[in-house]
Structure formats: structure tokens, C-alpha cells
Amino acid sequence: MTPADEARKLLERLGVTCGGSLESRSPIDGQVIGSVAEEGDVTSACARAQEAFLSWRLVPAPRRGELVRLLGEELRAAKEPLARLVTLECGKIVQEGLGEVQEMIDICDFAVGLSRQIYGLTIASERPNHRMIEQWHPLGPVGVITAFNFPVAVWAWNAALALVCGDPVVWKPSEKVPLCAEAVMALARRAMERFGDAPDGLLQCVQGGRDVGQALVEDERIALVSATGSTAMGRKVGPKVAERFGRVLLELGGNNATIVTPSADLDLAERAILFSAAGTAGQRCTTLRRLIVHESIADAFVERLKSLFARIKVGDPRDADTLVGPLIDASAFEAMRNVIGETIEQVDAVPGGYYVRPAIVEADVQQGTMLKETFAPILYVLRYSDLDEAIALNNAVSQGLSSSIFTNDLRESERFLSASGSDCGIANVNIGPSGAEIGGAFGGEKETGGGRESGSDSWRAYMRRQTNTINYGSDLPLAQGVEFKVAP
């Protein structure tokens, strides 16, 4: 079955009606698989979101969590067709598509629990008969801008938390994957219908190109802009939002490294490296791009990896034995070829698609191309002699998203996780840098943007903090013992 034929059937199952000027092309064969209307009226969407906020913020948080629970139910029921649509539209293999939808379900579960755990603090006051507390209130409408490589999960990370925190959401998806967004919105509408009294404008999607994203970023009614994409995009979004004193949550580029030490379990390491470097055809922000191997084991270990990479099945992502699907489009292919030249190895898989074999590139020093993130399956290999050198190599890039070390030496692992170790937002031991659980906060430092999404206390980004002092006495003592009295 062609991707276009399969997409039509999936969209029908998901309750999506296609039609419009924004076309979606499957990276499997480059053919159009559907189209949607470009809904570029951001001003109207933001006005509706602001109106929805005025009522949604007053709904008790556990009741808001009920809507997210219903959304999770809809996602569970539609997991298989939505995952297949992800595969068709962004080229992920079926297992990764299923994993992405499961990630949506997991964040819904997390957010439902959170709806009863939005805790403040009781703070000891220095003044007698005074009490201080800290509480959290809904922030306002949230604008979510997502990239093609995670066409549904990143919206869910933001939307599930925003909803329980009391915030409406306006979503601008990548124009490369508009069908996935329409399918998710169809499921969200079903959940809101079952919920019964969700305000109009609570969850919206505005389709289109950069002009739509720019309008969302500049609208003063959007209290928080959560944007996922390149560092170049973040350099534009951050200042624009700052100009109007809005908040940003930026998830930008990654240039992630793994250190392999002499004590490492090499069987474990090679399996992790395989997925981290080749998964999603290297098109993840957490993709492993730099492998830092101790010089005493490097030659033999790299040969093992080359043999393993040579056996990877590259092809139609719908096939069960495929591990690496296509690059998203011609521009991604050209970016990879510009970096490694004619050594790029194309695979004759499906006509019209851009299929490449993951490349392992030996490097003596961190050359210029290695310091930049190329969204393609290129793994650079570096050698080191002592751990301090390896950590310095890990940190010697402008991005700071994810990192890992393979070692059975407790001192090495603790050194890597210490304040003078990895400078990334994510630092793992004996697993790769790619693939994160919902429970932990996701995000990175430096040019990765500093944002945190998903687990832990990431919910605080979607709320405003308020400190309250209550005087239940009859005197009015001032803080710091200040005396302020009018003479009789």
C-alpha cells in the first residue's frame, strides 16, 4: 500500500478531514499524503485562548486533571493508528512511532497525578503573629511551537502540564507534519466533548509557516512560548518574547557525546550507541553525535561498531525489520552530504525517499563541522587518554543537552556526574544519551536554551509564583526590625 493510500485510511479512522493549501509529503516516497487548511489567524486564536483562560483558571486543578485523563484515554484507544501516521509523515520506524504516542499517554498520566500535587510552601516568618506562604497560580495562554522529528509527543509534554496548571494552549506544529497535528486535535476535541464544559479556545492549532510562528511569538496575550527547534530559531524567539516581558521555554540543538572507558561493558555500550546514533535516522536533538573512546580500546571497539552499523537495515520504516527509515527531505540529505561529502552512502529503498546509511567518521580533533549539529546520522569518533580529557571533549561544544558515560568504575561515574563533570542538562551512566523517561525534567544548558519540559518540577514554568504574608495579630512589626513611627 502506498503511503498516500494508508494515510487516507488512517485519517478516516482518526476522524480527520483533509483539504487545504498546506500539503504533507511522506519522507517514505516524497509523495503528497494529504493537506490541511493554513489557519493563519493567530490574532483570533490568541484572543480565544485569553478568553478561555479567564474561566479555565478558576476550575479546580483536580477537575482540570480530569480532562487530561480523558485525553489519555483517547490516545490509548488511538495509539496504533496515530503511531502509524507518525511513521508515514515523519519517517520514524513503527516501534519509534508507537513509543512516541506512548510518551503522550505517559505525560497525561503524570499530569493527572500532578493535578492533585501543585504544592506551595509554608515559610517561617521572623515577625510574631505572622505567617508566610507561597502558592502557584495559572500563568496564562501558552504558545507551543514544535519540530517535525517529534510531531506529537512534545505538544503533549506541554499541553498536559499547561492544562492542569490552568493554561490554554495554542499550538503551531511544524509545517512538515501537519496531518499528525490535525489527528491529535481531533482526539483532543473528543476528550473535551466528553469533559463537558471545557471553554471554547482551550486547545487550538494554527497551521502554517514561519509567519504563523512569528505572530504567535509576538502576541502579548501568550504568557509563555515553549519552542522546540534549532539554536538559530531560539536566537530569534528568545529576544522577541523578552521584548514584551513574556516567558520562554526553549528546547534547542544538541551535540551529544558518549564516553566509553576501559572498564565499560562493551556489549552494553555498543547496543546503546547503535540506537543513540542511528535511531530516527539521526534526527533527534538527543542523537549521539560524538563518541569519545579510551585509546586503549578504541581500535577494536570502533571496528565492532562499524561491523554492527553495516548490518543495520535501512529502508521503508513500515517494515518490521527496518531500524533506520528515511531522512525527512532533500534538505536533510544535502546537509549530511555537505558535511561528509561523497562518502555518504545512499540506500536504494523506496523511490522518492532519501535513505542513507549511518556514517562513522574518525576524527583526531574536534573539527569545525563536528562542533555544529548536523541533523543526520553521523557519528564522530574521538580518542582520549585520561578522564579529564574526555570530560573536556564532552563539554567543548556550544550545546549542552545530553551526555553519557559507560564505565564500571564508581569513581569515574561519580566524577562524570559531579559539578566539574558533564555540563549537560542530562548526564547518564551506562545508557546512551538518547531516549528520556517522562518522570525526569528534559532539557539542556548553553545553546540548548536552558528550558525544562516533562517531569520533575517542570510544571512551574506554566504557573506564576505568589508569596503571601498574613498578619493575624494586632501589632504591625516590620521586617528586619525596621522602626517607622510618627512622633506624637
Side-chain angles (χ1 to χ4, degrees):
M1 185 184 300
T2 68
D5 289 338
E6 186 174 359
R8 279 192 291 272
K9 292 185 176 182
L10 290 172
L11 291 168
E12 185 178 348
R13 287 178 63 185
L14 291 164
V16 177
T17 302
C18 284
S21 60
L22 182 58
E23 293 182 335
S24 173
R25 293 182 178 272
S26 173
I28 294 174
D29 62 0
Q31 299 302 304
V32 174
I33 58 174
S35 63
V36 303
E38 291 198 56
E39 301 173 37
D41 190 358
V42 177
T43 299
S44 175
C46 293
R48 293 173 64 208
Q50 177 61 26
E51 188 66 27
F53 174 64
L54 299 179
S55 59
W56 188 244
R57 65 182 176 176
L58 302 178
V59 176
R63 172 63 179 158
R64 300 193 296 248
E66 172 64 10
L67 174 56
V68 178
R69 188 188 70 79
L70 294 171
L71 176 60
E73 284 188 355
E74 294 294 338
L75 289 167
R76 279 182 169 86
K79 180 177 178 178
E80 188 272 334
L82 182 57
R84 294 287 295 190
L85 187 61
V86 168
T87 292
L88 292 177
E89 197 168 35
C90 84
K92 286 184 176 180
I93 62 173
V94 172
Q95 280 297 307
E96 289 190 77
L98 290 167
E100 180 163 356
V101 181
Q102 185 60 49
E103 200 166 358
M104 302 175 78
I105 295 166
D106 292 345
I107 193 63
C108 286
D109 288 348
F110 179 92
V112 172
L114 172 65
S115 70
R116 293 182 180 272
Q117 300 179 76
I118 300 177
Y119 299 139
L121 297 172
T122 299
I123 305 166
S125 174
E126 66 184 63
R127 290 169 282 186
N129 299 322
H130 281 60
R131 180 167 63 93
M132 292 176 64
I133 62 171
E134 180 181 272
Q135 59 179 328
W136 296 84
H137 293 304
L139 178 65
V142 174
V144 179
I145 300 172
T146 57
F148 78 85
N149 59 331
F150 279 86
V152 293
V154 174
W155 171 83
W157 287 3
N158 286 276
L161 295 188
L163 284 173
V164 299
C165 290
D167 305 329
V169 175
V170 182
W171 180 19
K172 191 279 178 194
S174 167
E175 58 269 37
K176 295 181 180 181
V177 285
L179 300 180
C180 285
E182 292 298 319
V184 168
M185 292 308 297
L187 298 175
R189 284 191 291 271
R190 287 184 211 166
M192 288 188 287
E193 288 170 4
R194 293 173 60 195
F195 182 76
D197 56 355
D200 178 57
L202 184 60
L203 290 174
Q204 300 177 78
C205 178
V206 286
Q207 299 272 17
R210 291 184 181 180
D211 56 330
V212 174
Q214 182 175 340
L216 187 62
V217 165
E218 294 178 351
D219 197 294
E220 294 188 356
R221 288 164 294 200
I222 300 299
L224 169 68
V225 175
S226 176
T228 301
S230 68
T231 297
M233 180 271 285
R235 290 190 193 280
K236 296 177 181 178
V237 169
K240 281 293 183 183
V241 179
E243 282 179 5
R244 58 179 181 81
F245 297 100
R247 291 192 198 175
V248 292
L249 197 167
L250 298 176
E251 296 289 358
L252 308 176
N255 197 341
N256 315 294
T258 287
I259 299 170
V260 181
T261 71
S263 70
D265 180 334
L266 298 184
D267 291 334
L268 188 69
E270 71 176 15
R271 295 198 301 274
I273 290 165
L274 177 69
F275 171 73
S276 298
T280 323
Q283 298 171 122
R284 287 182 175 224
C285 54
T286 55
T287 290
L288 172 60
R289 308 201 181 278
R290 296 173 298 131
L291 181 64
I292 305 167
V293 190
H294 192 271
E295 59 190 11
S296 66
I297 60 171
D299 288 341
F301 186 62
V302 171
E303 286 304 312
R304 287 175 60 170
L305 289 177
K306 288 180 177 178
S307 176
L308 186 63
F309 274 48
R311 300 198 302 271
I312 292 174
K313 168 70 182 300
V314 180
D316 190 326
R318 296 173 294 177
D319 295 343
D321 58 346
T322 294
L323 290 182
V324 174
L327 295 173
I328 187 66
D329 55 23
S331 63
F333 175 78
E334 289 302 324
M336 183 175 180
R337 184 161 64 179
N338 288 341
V339 171
I340 65 173
E342 295 309 314
T343 59
I344 190 170
E345 185 179 346
Q346 281 191 267
V347 176
D348 184 17
V350 182
Y354 291 89
Y355 296 83
V356 296
R357 185 163 292 285
I360 297 178
V361 178
E362 297 271 1
D364 294 327
V365 294
Q366 298 216 97
Q367 59 203 54
T369 54
M370 192 191 315
L371 300 179
K372 300 177 182 178
E373 181 189 35
T374 301
F375 230 48
I378 305 172
L379 179 62
Y380 295 97
V381 177
L382 296 160
R383 290 165 168 75
Y384 78 94
S385 58
D386 64 73
L387 187 59
D388 284 344
E389 179 189 3
I391 291 174
L393 289 170
N394 177 86
N395 296 347
V397 293
S398 57
Q399 307 88 351
L401 179 51
S402 191
S403 59
S404 74
I405 188 171
F406 282 84
T407 178
N408 284 325
D409 185 321
L410 177 63
R411 290 177 176 173
E412 288 183 330
S413 66
E414 291 298 319
R415 169 78 174 84
F416 181 72
L417 300 178
S418 72
S420 60
S422 170
D423 65 359
C424 296
I426 299 169
N428 298 329
V429 176
N430 291 332
I431 65 170
S434 187
E437 295 182 35
I438 286 301
F442 179 89
E445 303 300 328
K446 301 190 292 188
E447 289 189 2
T448 301
R452 293 298 186 275
E453 293 176 316
S454 184
S456 186
D457 64 351
S458 299
W459 59 271
R460 295 186 179 196
Y462 306 86
M463 305 198 81
R464 61 180 178 90
R465 186 196 308 255
Q466 186 178 83
T467 302
N468 311 128
T469 304
I470 301 99
N471 179 1
Y472 55 89
S474 57
D475 295 325
L476 191 66
L478 300 177
Q480 294 85 46
V482 171
E483 297 270 343
F484 195 81
K485 296 181 179 178
V486 179

